[in-house]
Amino acid sequence: MLRARGERMTGPRRAVLTVLAEGDEHLSAEAVLDGVTRRESGVHRASVYRTLEALSDLGIVQHIHVGHGGTTYHLVRNGTRHLHAHCRVCGVVRDLPSDLLDGVAEALSRNHQFLLDPGHVALSGTCLGCRRTDS
Amino acid sequence: MLRARGERMTGPRRAVLTVLAEGDEHLSAEAVLDGVTRRESGVHRASVYRTLEALSDLGIVQHIHVGHGGTTYHLVRNGTRHLHAHCRVCGVVRDLPSDLLDGVAEALSRNHQFLLDPGHVALSGTCLGCRRTDS
DNA sequence: TTCTATGCAAACGATTTGCAGGGAG
DNA sequence: CTCCCTGCAAATCGTTTGCATAGAA
């Protein structure tokens, strides 16, 4: 697993990283806590949050905001910050190719003086399986 | 102001609509409550939330989720559900043309069986004034 | 009169903070 | 030995819910 990048490697941190590495991607903070607890009891909720924040700052994990749904975390695999779509009906988060918004990003930059960070929020909608429902 | 659409027109509802109509767009629920209270005291927080939800269901107001920032509400002016960009540094929400994501929506529909709802979440990034900072 | 919307208080879920002690480097 | 990271408890923020009642239609 990734080695200390100027930061200390502790039990809780190792556990969080392991859970993220094994997990099915896109875990909520609470889900990470569950996984951590299963692997090594006694780790406190607050430590998980603090660890996730620290790892985010280091660029080792990425967090995305999912509409009504809260925040999810996952490892940044080989430097790729891919995009996400969130189905507001079934709640699934699916990955999208990282270049999907390139055109939009350029348009925003050119016409609206806005620097898009495409990976930071999940696009919202419904997967076809969940067709039409509102909110 | 818009008349009852099968719903009852009450004091709190009138106040919420008035605040949204006069406000600078993109108000948080709490900001709406403040405005409502200033105009007519005694309206309860819960009523504002319930009213905003009811008006959302009627399509009279639109709510958007703003990354780390919570939920904001605004009137749907002449049926236009425009898009939004949120600067994560200064927090400003700016409107964007509603057709900006048309191409992306079509690509998602065709290649990913995903029906995009472009107006439901704000795109995240930084306005040029706030250049580069992270989170 | 009827039945919806309101006020109130309390519950809630997610996340954060102050503080003192423990352990990594 | 020093300072960062942790556990704990409590606070905070945004939002929701159960209940009895006021009031719109």
Side-chain angles (χ1 to χ4, degrees):
Chain A
M1 220 41 50
L2 290 173
R3 236 352 46 151
R5 179 117 114 234
E7 298 290 307
R8 295 188 179 172
M9 176 54 64
T10 65
R13 293 186 168 189
R14 191 188 314 283
V16 167
L17 283 168
T18 307
V19 168
L20 288 175
E22 297 178 340
D24 300 347
E25 295 261 322
H26 311 312
L27 298 165
S28 69
E30 212 62 22
V32 173
L33 174 61
D34 285 354
V36 166
T37 301
R38 209 168 299 123
R39 155 173 307 277
E40 170 181 344
S41 77
V43 177
H44 195 271
R45 174 183 266 84
S47 297
V48 170
Y49 278 97
R50 281 189 280 227
T51 297
L52 288 171
E53 189 191 346
L55 293 175
S56 290
D57 290 346
L58 292 175
I60 296 174
V61 316
Q62 181 184 355
H63 70 269
I64 62 178
H65 298 286
V66 177
H68 192 76
T71 309
T72 71
Y73 300 82
H74 60 88
L75 286 182
V76 175
R77 316 257 182 195
N78 51 50
T80 312
R81 300 193 123 237
H82 54 273
L83 311 188
H84 305 85
H86 173 244
C87 173
R88 91 161 54 125
V89 179
C90 65
V92 162
V93 174
R94 82 178 336 136
D95 292 347
L96 297 174
S98 55
D99 61 353
L100 182 70
L101 290 180
D102 284 359
V104 173
E106 188 176 329
L108 280 173
S109 167
R110 184 139 25 93
N111 305 326
H112 301 277
Q113 294 76 52
F114 188 81
L115 202 56
L116 183 65
D117 178 4
H120 193 233
V121 299
L123 296 173
S124 181
T126 51
C127 42
L128 288 211
C130 295
R131 279 264 181 197
R132 278 298 85 186
T133 303
D134 236 15
S135 160
Chain B
M1 224 35 55
L2 290 172
R3 231 358 41 151
R5 179 118 114 231
E7 298 290 308
R8 294 188 181 172
M9 175 54 66
T10 66
R13 292 186 169 189
R14 189 188 316 282
V16 167
L17 284 169
T18 307
V19 168
L20 287 176
E22 296 179 340
D24 300 346
E25 294 262 322
H26 312 312
L27 298 166
S28 68
E30 213 62 21
V32 173
L33 173 62
D34 285 354
V36 166
T37 301
R38 208 169 300 120
R39 156 174 307 276
E40 168 181 347
S41 75
V43 177
H44 192 86
R45 174 182 267 85
S47 298
V48 170
Y49 278 97
R50 282 190 279 228
T51 297
L52 288 171
E53 189 192 345
L55 294 174
S56 289
D57 290 346
L58 293 174
I60 296 175
V61 317
Q62 181 183 356
H63 69 271
I64 63 179
H65 298 285
V66 177
H68 192 79
T71 309
T72 72
Y73 301 82
H74 61 90
L75 287 183
V76 176
R77 315 258 182 194
N78 51 49
T80 312
R81 301 193 122 239
H82 53 274
L83 311 188
H84 306 84
H86 173 244
C87 173
R88 91 161 54 125
V89 178
C90 65
V92 161
V93 174
R94 84 180 335 136
D95 293 348
L96 297 174
S98 54
D99 61 353
L100 182 70
L101 290 180
D102 285 359
V104 173
E106 187 175 331
L108 279 173
S109 168
R110 186 140 22 94
N111 305 326
H112 300 277
Q113 295 76 52
F114 189 82
L115 201 56
L116 183 66
D117 178 5
H120 193 233
V121 298
L123 297 173
S124 182
T126 51
C127 43
L128 288 210
C130 296
R131 279 264 180 197
R132 277 298 83 186
T133 303
D134 235 16
S135 164

